Amino acid sequence: MAQALTRAMRDAMAEDPTVHVMGEDVGTLGGVFRITDGLAKEFGEERCTDTPLAEAGILGAAVGMAMYGLRPVVEMQFDAFAYPAFEQLISHVAKMRNRTRGAMPLPITIRVPYGGGIGGVEHHCDSSEAYYVATPGLTVVTPATVEDAYGLLRASIASDDPVVFLEPKRLYWSKADWRPEAPAAVPGIGKALVRRTGTSATLITYGPSLPVCLEAAEAAREEGWDLEVVDLRSLVPFDEDTVVESVRRTGRAVVVHEANGFGGPGAEIAARITERCFHHLEAPVLRVTGFDIPYPPPMLEKHHLPGVDRILDTVARLQWEN
Amino acid sequence: MTVQELPGAGASHRSTTPPAWRPRTDAAPLLPDPEPYRVLGTEAADRLDPELMRRCYAELVRGRRYNAQATALTKQGRLAVYPSTVGQEACEIAAAMVLEDQDWLFPSYRDTLAAVARGLDPVQALTLLRGDWHTGYDPREHRIAPLSTPLATQLPHAVGLAHAARLRGDDVVALAMVGDGGTSEGDFHEALNFAAVWQAPVVFLVQNNGFAISVPLAKQTAAPTLAHKAVGYGMPGRLVDGNDIAAMHEVLTEAVRRARAGGGPTLIEAVTYRMEAHTNADDATRYRGDAEVEAWKAHDPIDLLERELTARGIIDEAAVKAARDDAEVMAAALREGMNADPVVDPMDLFAHVYAEQTDRLREQAAMLRAELEAEDQA
Ligand SMILES: Cc1ncc(C[n+]2csc(CCOP(=O)(O)OP(=O)(O)O)c2C)c(N)n1
């Protein structure tokens, strides 16, 4: 996935001279995860810039650059280090189009490596999506596959709106048959995809939890359950129709994500499903999420993150026999 | 353990400093003069440009009248709130005057007058405060960023814009305005540092008007002056009398010239005073005494200039009257523009959130439309 992301920025920069990558250590080092590897060499430090260490400054400067017609792609080094930039994000980035009555859209892509499962210490593993999702004006995207990493990042950079592009850290190293010479076209931002069809229940998920859900769906076959898995891909806009269609078909739904459950995206999704599928539901919509705790230390994270067993236990609670 | 005993601290290393760690010695002198720079009432006034000063005078009078009119409009309920710049007109006017057409102004919420002096329609400039829309103008058309309410957050924007313009080879300078309280915000520091590292063509203008709402400068900073803050970032800091428009014009012009020539950013502290309350919601008697306000009245920016120009025969009674008449015309137009009830379309709520409407917003828009239609029928 890491390579696909790099390639997406590279191709965008080659095609459009207004695309500028900036952030901490993105130049010579190529980013702490090497996602910007080689960009400074190929396009020069003016287009792939090592900035001073200041997240509000980085995003604030990106606002000014976007005002002047550039398309900044900003790297926030880790989820929890994006917080100093929230003032800029929420007060300006998300609102500039609205404040100026459409006269000044801000085409900024904010890449945030997020989520846990990599044995990182605290402040390196937050699932921060709920903060972004709660902010009108932001588009929030998260790929779970290598194709999507490329396709969605290209779409984000091309978007005339600011996009928070959440990169699941633990999928950086995921491998897949992916041909950088000819990347497959993927549906754009705002479309969810059924990654596995099934009839017993729908698992609704995104980003780092997709592979876990697919694994759970395989394991569920032993129990005689045939699970459908929907990958949201984009949290805002939220593709309600794909979700609703699936749940109306299966009659049962479980939302799975790493972020804390209380006030997390799953709460919103469950509410929407209940509003639109009430008469089709055979069971209440359930959620499998991280606990409502600050991200735990590495030796405990496996207890916090939704895993296959917890998903299967929850699926079992969907009252099959009735 | 002595230093010599530390591992790696052998005698041969003791006296050398690794080259990369040497402080820069090529930097120009950065420390500001301890006294605010003045022109009016000093020998420097001998070289005043009469034509420029007549313009300054007319603009100041207009600016004062604009302040008075806007304040009156809050009393009539036409404006939700108005942060007055009475006493600070010289800063506002000079900031607008030194910019070329292609340059950008990044005002704070207090700086409507600077935007108007740059040529923005006074009614458009007041939409934020009137409440019909956040920004009543196209920022690109006027090269005036939206008035920024969160303090100091517009400063990094100015840096980014100036940087982008330079990358594109355009001759553009950004002038960003902030209050004394705003200099304590993180964004102020990050913006100055970015600007200096990038050598961006930016001028930072701090209007030190004595207070951040009720908090005096002494509780805001322990630095000798706010201009001193420039030094640590590696840019020159200038301290100037913010009520002396000739001094303001000169210092700002020099900073803009430097920025345009590739010399990098400058931090300017204009020492001035907020004569009126923070806004109409504020009771200034709770934190400052009449004596202080009276003392500053004697240092009024319009009086200072009028005295100098009259003594030198640059303006006469007729010029003073002409300036006042012109200001009245502006005030009448502003009154008229503001007295027309703004027409607002509720459906605008959903119009400018995303480039492409989301399903969610379409649904909510439909709900509001139905509510409005039901109201119409009732
Ligand atoms: C980030 C932020 N914090 C607090 C406020 C509330 N507030 C509005 S104006 C103000 C004082 C600003 O003082 P100063 O920067 O000196 O500017 P002045 O009002 O004197 O022009 C405060 C605290 C704000 N607008 N933004």
Side-chain angles (χ1 to χ4, degrees), chain A residues 57 68 88 92 99 101 138 161, chain B residues 153 170 187 190 348 354-355:
Chain A
Y68 205 75
Q88 286 292 340
H92 293 293
R99 291 167 73 204
R101 276 191 124 130
L138 298 178
D161 283 323
Chain B
T153 53
D170 295 348
D187 280 43
E190 300 193 17
D348 267 5
Y354 294 98

Side-chain angles (χ1 to χ4, degrees), chain A residues 114-117 125-127 129 170-171 203-217 254-262 265-266 286-293 295-296 300-315:
Chain A
Y114 84 120
C125 303
D126 285 14
S127 294
E129 59 267 36
R170 67 168 131 142
L171 301 185
L203 300 181
I204 297 143
T205 191
Y206 56 84
S209 295
L210 176 69
V212 186
C213 286
L214 289 172
E215 198 186 328
V254 178
V255 190
V256 182
H257 61 59
E258 272 184 39
N260 314 139
F262 194 87
L286 299 181
R287 286 174 290 158
V288 186
T289 69
F291 295 129
D292 296 323
I293 56 169
Y295 199 83
L300 293 171
E301 69 178 351
K302 65 173 185 292
H303 303 292
H304 168 69
L305 296 173
V308 170
D309 289 345
R310 203 171 286 160
I311 294 171
L312 292 179
D313 287 348
T314 307
V315 169

Side-chain angles (χ1 to χ4, degrees), chain A residues 18 20 22 46 51-52 54-58 60-61 63-70 87-88 91-92 96-104 136-139 161 236-237 268 272, chain B residues 104 106 133-135 138-140 145-148 150 153-154 156-157 160-161 163-165 167-168 170 172 187 190 193-194 197-198 348-349 352-356 358-360 363:
Chain A
T18 66
H20 282 243
M22 56 200 276
E46 284 191 344
T51 62
E55 292 75 15
I58 295 169
V63 169
M65 291 164 73
M67 281 177 156
Y68 205 75
L70 299 185
E87 156 90 272
Q88 286 292 340
S91 297
H92 293 293
M96 192 66 84
R97 170 186 288 281
N98 191 256
R99 291 167 73 204
T100 61
R101 276 191 124 130
M104 192 169 258
L138 298 178
T139 297
D161 283 323
V236 181
E268 178 65 29
R272 296 303 282 171
Chain B
W104 275 72
F106 284 78
W133 200 260
H134 299 310
T135 303
D138 179 345
R140 284 209 179 91
L147 300 165
S148 181
T153 53
Q154 75 279 20
H157 304 172
L161 182 131
H163 176 65
L167 289 179
R168 294 192 140 190
D170 295 348
V172 170
D187 280 43
E190 300 193 17
N193 192 47
F194 266 68
V197 170
W198 285 354
D348 267 5
L349 286 179
H352 306 292
V353 185
Y354 294 98
E356 242 175 83
T358 61
D359 291 345
R360 196 69 197 263
E363 210 176 274

Side-chain angles (χ1 to χ4, degrees), chain A residues 87, chain B residues 109-110 149-151 179-182 185 209 211-213 278:
Chain A
E87 156 90 272
Chain B
Y109 71 100
R110 192 178 292 284
T149 307
L151 300 170
D180 43 298
E185 291 280 357
N209 64 6
F211 294 90
I213 305 187
H278 171 67

